[in-house]
Amino acid sequence: MISKGGSEALLQTLVDTARTPSPDYDILLPLFRLLAKVGLRDKHFGKKALELEALDVTLIMARKNLSHSQNLLHCLWALRVFASSVTTGAMLGINGAMELLFKVISPYTRKRTRTIRAATEVLAALLKSKSNGRRAVNRGYVASLLRLHQDWHRHDTSNTYVQIRQALLLCLKHVANLQSGREAFLAAQGMEILFSTAQNCLDQKRMEPIISMALQILRQCYPKSSLPLPTISSAYAFPVLGSTGAELPPVLTEEDFEDDSDEEVDQDSDSEDGKEEDDDLETDVNKLSSKPGLDRPKEELEQYAVMCRELSDRFEELESKCEDDLDFGAAQCDNNRHLPMAPSPKQHFLNQDQSYGMHEREDTAQTSLLSMVKMGRSTAQLGLKENPITKTCQNVPSKDLGTDSIPNEIPDLQPSLKEGAWTVDDISCPGISTSLSNSTLPRENTEIIDTLLQTHPKDVPFHDPHLYMDKARRTRSVADFWVVAFPDLWGHSSLPTTQSMLERKWGVQRMKIFEDIQRLIQPSDLINKVVFSLDEPGPLQDISTSCCLRFFSQFESGNLRKAIQVREFEYDLLINADVNSTQHQQWFYFKVAGMRGGVPYRFNVINCEKPNSQFNYGMQPTMYSVKEACLGRPTWIRTGYEICYYKNHYRVRAAAAGGTSGKCYYTLTFSITFPHNEDVCYLAYHYPYTYTALMTHLDILEKSVNPKHVYFRQEVLCQTVGGNPCPLVTITAMPESNSTDHLEKFRQRPYQVITARVHPGESNSSWVMKGTLEFLVSSDPVARLLRENLIFKMIPMLNPDGVINGNHRCSLNGEDLNRQWLSPRAHLQPTIYHAKGLLYYLCSIGRRPGVFCDFHGHSQKKNVFLYGCSIKETLWQTECPVSTMTVSEDVSYRTLPKLLDKLAPAFTMGSCSFLVEKSRASTARIVVWREMGVSKSYTMESSYCGCSQGPYQGLQFGTKELEEMGAMFCLGLLVLELKSVNCSHQLRGAAPLLKAVEETLDYHLQRCSSSSSSTAELEDEPPCLEEIDYQTDSSLRQEDSLVELDRQIQECTFNEEEEEDEGTG
């Protein structure tokens, strides 16, 4: 009907009929209903009505029928459809439509409520126009709307007219899109009025639309302000070539935040939204398939030969191999008291009742990986049971938690713990010194620390606090950190169970935002005392008399810039920006002390940047209790409840944000009930893993292997800008002998290159790397096959400086190093420059890596997945006219992710992508694929949160699961090598073992291809339970309101027909 000109015909009929001397309403009323129904489905209806003068006619008829409810109601329905076009709505405003509507919308009454509802809905539609909004402000309608809302709220005690109250709030919401509207709202005490009315009906489920709308308006009108910081630049500065000094942000005004221009945008235009993702895909076949030349002189590559000594070494020491093997075990145990009891990746590679001796029996080792797999489902299910520590931190704890089961390993500390002979603060941040006895701490404190170190639990794998302290003294930081964090010194043992994702209760975020708004309305209730700040040197509080928490973050990987006590048990926290940057606030890691046990504390991180977070979908921050560690439970746990992530009222001016208009911030809020009085706890975004921890770990790993069987070489790739060595690790099996044949076979092994931690805040990638390293040097038969058939080049930490200084994304230059692979410079991005150089060198000598993988962490998605590169898939996605038949491509890039989908419990093929994006052209994955010709070039992303599928569904990742993923990645590489055409005869002989592993994994993890394919169709996350943002109404809401109008018209038509039938009868 619309396509055949039906809308124009109906509108013309309306105009002609209305202009007759005595309009026939028996014709006009059905015509109005038909016009409204057709107009709901005609995008250009408002424009047509304007051209045919139907707007003026309808307004005139509405004015004539102010006392005739039924006729007026039909006119209002037509005006509602006309007003759905912003342009037409603006014209109605010019012609006096709002003045007419305010004559209809009266204070509370039980009469003519259908007409009043229709009038408020028309007014709400008109106020979407900025010109109408300004007109409403200038004529004092904001205060009138607030009075009407108050009156209806006060008298509608039975909540019969919720739709009218909701429409009045919608009017206010549209006006609040304007700066002048917000100012008028604040001047009319709108914040106080809406806060009070919303509070009165919080416990009424039927009032949900009212509460939600009121909250949106309150958030929208909350005055915007700058962060309580002297500058948005990092508190730390490092002098680098080309850097600029930090500047003070100018004073912000409301004009800096919102656009209040005169331009009217018709939201109903036919223009289609562009697909941003597809627009970012590379469609230039030449760029996709070309191989750029070297970015440096070829002669320069020779310097990397020293990093591949396995290709030139004669291994003369192998002549004395047999007799030396006999003495290795005893000598190793004597010389390395700090070594873990097992070289395999943690205890989860063995059954719980197995021995953890240094040399496992061969039959035990052969089943270790299978044992881990068989335990996979049962271990995951155990995660549903509450751990005593985690339960306490998520709920109100019992008063005696943590002292009821003091382990026998630390009997000397029991009296001290119980009698309070020392404070945990004394040992919570040991100083970095040449020896603990020469520490800057008081003598009695160092004695306590020495005593504690003597009782250090021996079951913390691959960790030694003495070695850690020695390594920490050599770590160079921008701020010259002089203490180490206790968790990093003491070590971490993974929980025996996996923690479930936090179930979020509806309304939690709402309550938190109402508490935030209460700050503005009732400022006298606030403390607002700065208790910690990197910008204000010296103590900010008297520890002996202070009743607030004590914060500290000036240690390796620490990040907390400022803490403000808002209320007695509530604190606002601000994260430090990356060094030489004004952004990337996400990673946090800090110490907090002086708490009361059993008391809920609320923490608000108020300067987060990402528009959404896994904290809205079950993720919790991590906590480490010093008291728990000293009681024999040195464990990072997921903790916190009432967790929400939402947009707040803080903004940054465009000039201070480098031109980004209206940059906004988000709040992460969470509550913690600490398990002990006067404890010292560390809180972090994710499980921390420091640079010093890596260097300690590598030293212990090197000493744990039998050098006659395992080739483990640790060397320095380069020095970082901050003066720290970036380690390069080579792992393979030693040749059988130094004979020519054995050396030739040894040197023909394919290379695999793995990197990690280019983004410092992605500490989960380091735990995956840790699992990879530990598995590769273990006695597991799969690990032995890997070493005998492949050579691993590993750079475990590409951005040591960023990790050390608590950055989230950048290097000391303020650059994202994973966007520097196209043209790295040796003096600015040395780790990327030399990592790329090493890859160039391997390719130049005919040793192109079979697989390159860069380990990362992902803050928006769950599970573990790979990003790869494919020309054809990219062209298919963009529907490029270039025929993919002419493009040749090695399709084996999909093999590894498919294998991991079958092998690894945490991995899902459904989230993998093989598209080549323009915006990522300078990342490691794409540069290695394009310039080095490595078809299997990947980024492996591990969620900060956990799994939404498989045996770990509904569970958060612990360090155990992340390390397991590292081991499973190794298994995938071995199966991939077995499937390759160049597979060695020796590896083919091991095929039955690998087949058994695959079948066992497939059976016990129940990860068949059909389940994987169904996962791919699911959205990564459902919509968040509550609004993160508070923007203007979406098109979906507009569509819903029009559907409701259609329903009202249908209902009216039905009632009229019934009345006619009754009259006839």
Side-chain angles (χ1 to χ4, degrees), residues 735-800:
E736 293 182 40
S737 72
N738 61 356
S739 67
T740 303
D741 288 345
H742 285 158
L743 288 180
E744 184 63 24
K745 288 181 181 179
F746 172 83
R747 291 166 182 162
Q748 289 305 313
R749 294 173 188 169
Y751 274 92
Q752 316 287 312
V753 178
I754 305 174
T755 62
R757 207 68 184 277
V758 69
H759 295 144
E762 295 170 6
S763 58
N764 43 359
S765 68
S766 280
W767 289 101
V768 176
M769 176 62 80
K770 182 175 184 287
T772 303
L773 288 164
E774 290 179 11
F775 182 72
L776 285 176
V777 301
S778 72
S779 57
D780 191 285
V782 172
R784 178 175 52 80
L785 285 170
L786 279 162
R787 293 193 299 266
E788 290 172 352
N789 290 275
L790 300 169
I791 300 176
F792 291 87
K793 287 288 184 186
M794 312 176 78
I795 308 174
M797 194 171 283
L798 277 167
N799 192 350

Side-chain angles (χ1 to χ4, degrees), residues 127-357:
L127 289 173
K128 286 194 297 182
S129 159
K130 289 183 178 181
S131 60
N132 286 339
R134 278 187 291 274
R135 190 173 290 108
V137 171
N138 295 335
R139 299 186 181 182
Y141 291 161
V142 174
S144 300
L145 287 168
L146 281 168
R147 285 194 298 270
L148 286 167
H149 167 72
Q150 264 187 305
D151 188 68
W152 280 89
H153 177 81
R154 186 183 303 116
H155 292 95
D156 185 24
T157 54
S158 61
N159 297 328
T160 307
Y161 307 112
V162 172
Q163 293 90 346
I164 294 176
R165 294 154 65 183
Q166 186 178 0
L168 288 169
L169 288 175
L170 186 57
C171 293
L172 288 168
K173 187 177 189 307
H174 290 323
V175 174
N177 289 330
L178 300 173
Q179 174 199 332
S180 56
R182 293 189 293 274
E183 292 173 352
F185 179 84
L186 293 171
Q189 303 298 305
M191 297 292 287
E192 291 82 356
I193 292 171
L194 286 199
F195 182 81
S196 175
T197 56
Q199 290 288 315
N200 294 338
C201 51
L202 279 177
D203 56 346
Q204 302 175 42
K205 194 168 184 179
R206 187 180 174 187
M207 299 301 293
E208 170 56 33
I210 298 292
I211 300 168
S212 179
M213 186 71 69
L215 189 63
Q216 289 281 300
I217 298 168
L218 289 168
R219 294 176 71 185
Q220 212 168 351
C221 294
Y222 198 115
K224 307 302 182 288
S225 62
S226 57
L227 292 168
L229 293 172
T231 171
I232 62 171
S233 299
S234 173
Y236 300 139
F238 184 78
V240 292
L241 186 64
S243 66
T244 57
E247 69 214 14
L248 290 175
V251 177
L252 296 175
T253 61
E254 188 75 15
E255 287 85 349
D256 294 316
F257 302 120
E258 303 291 341
D259 176 27
D260 196 15
S261 64
D262 293 328
E263 183 181 358
E264 299 288 358
V265 179
D266 194 339
Q267 297 175 348
D268 302 311
S269 64
D270 278 336
S271 61
E272 297 182 2
D273 295 331
K275 298 179 180 179
E276 292 184 10
E277 183 180 343
D278 287 356
D279 289 344
D280 188 37
L281 296 180
E282 183 59 76
T283 56
D284 188 333
V285 179
N286 292 327
K287 290 183 179 180
L288 286 170
S289 56
S290 64
K291 184 178 177 182
L294 286 174
D295 64 356
R296 66 199 74 192
K298 189 173 182 179
E299 303 75 38
E300 209 177 288
L301 300 181
E302 293 303 320
Q303 64 179 311
Y304 300 104
V306 70
M307 298 179 190
C308 300
R309 292 183 184 176
E310 63 275 5
L311 298 180
S312 57
D313 201 328
R314 299 299 304 173
F315 295 99
E316 294 175 356
E317 67 275 14
L318 290 177
E319 294 177 358
S320 57
K321 174 178 178 179
C322 295
E323 55 267 28
D324 289 349
D325 282 351
L326 299 175
D327 300 327
F328 170 71
Q332 186 185 39
C333 292
D334 290 340
N335 297 334
N336 301 293
R337 63 176 178 80
H338 57 267
L339 292 181
M341 296 300 289
S344 58
K346 285 203 172 185
Q347 290 96 333
H348 62 256
F349 277 82
L350 300 167
N351 284 321
Q352 291 180 345
D353 56 351
Q354 288 176 335
S355 167
Y356 298 129

Side-chain angles (χ1 to χ4, degrees), residues 801-869:
D801 292 338
V803 172
I804 293 166
N805 293 285
N807 284 6
H808 173 68
R809 188 85 178 176
C810 298
S811 65
L812 293 186
N813 290 347
E815 297 174 321
D816 181 346
L817 289 183
N818 201 37
R819 296 295 189 275
Q820 306 299 323
W821 278 79
L822 271 178
S823 303
R825 290 171 287 178
H827 65 291
L828 290 179
Q829 306 96 20
T831 60
I832 305 303
Y833 182 84
H834 291 293
K836 188 176 181 182
L838 176 60
L839 286 162
Y840 268 141
Y841 174 73
L842 290 174
C843 294
S844 71
I845 61 173
R847 307 305 304 276
R848 177 179 291 107
V851 171
F852 170 84
C853 192
D854 189 19
F855 291 172
H856 282 253
H858 207 289
S859 65
Q860 301 287 327
K861 293 185 178 182
K862 289 186 172 69
N863 310 306
V864 181
F865 50 93
L866 286 176
Y867 290 135
C869 302

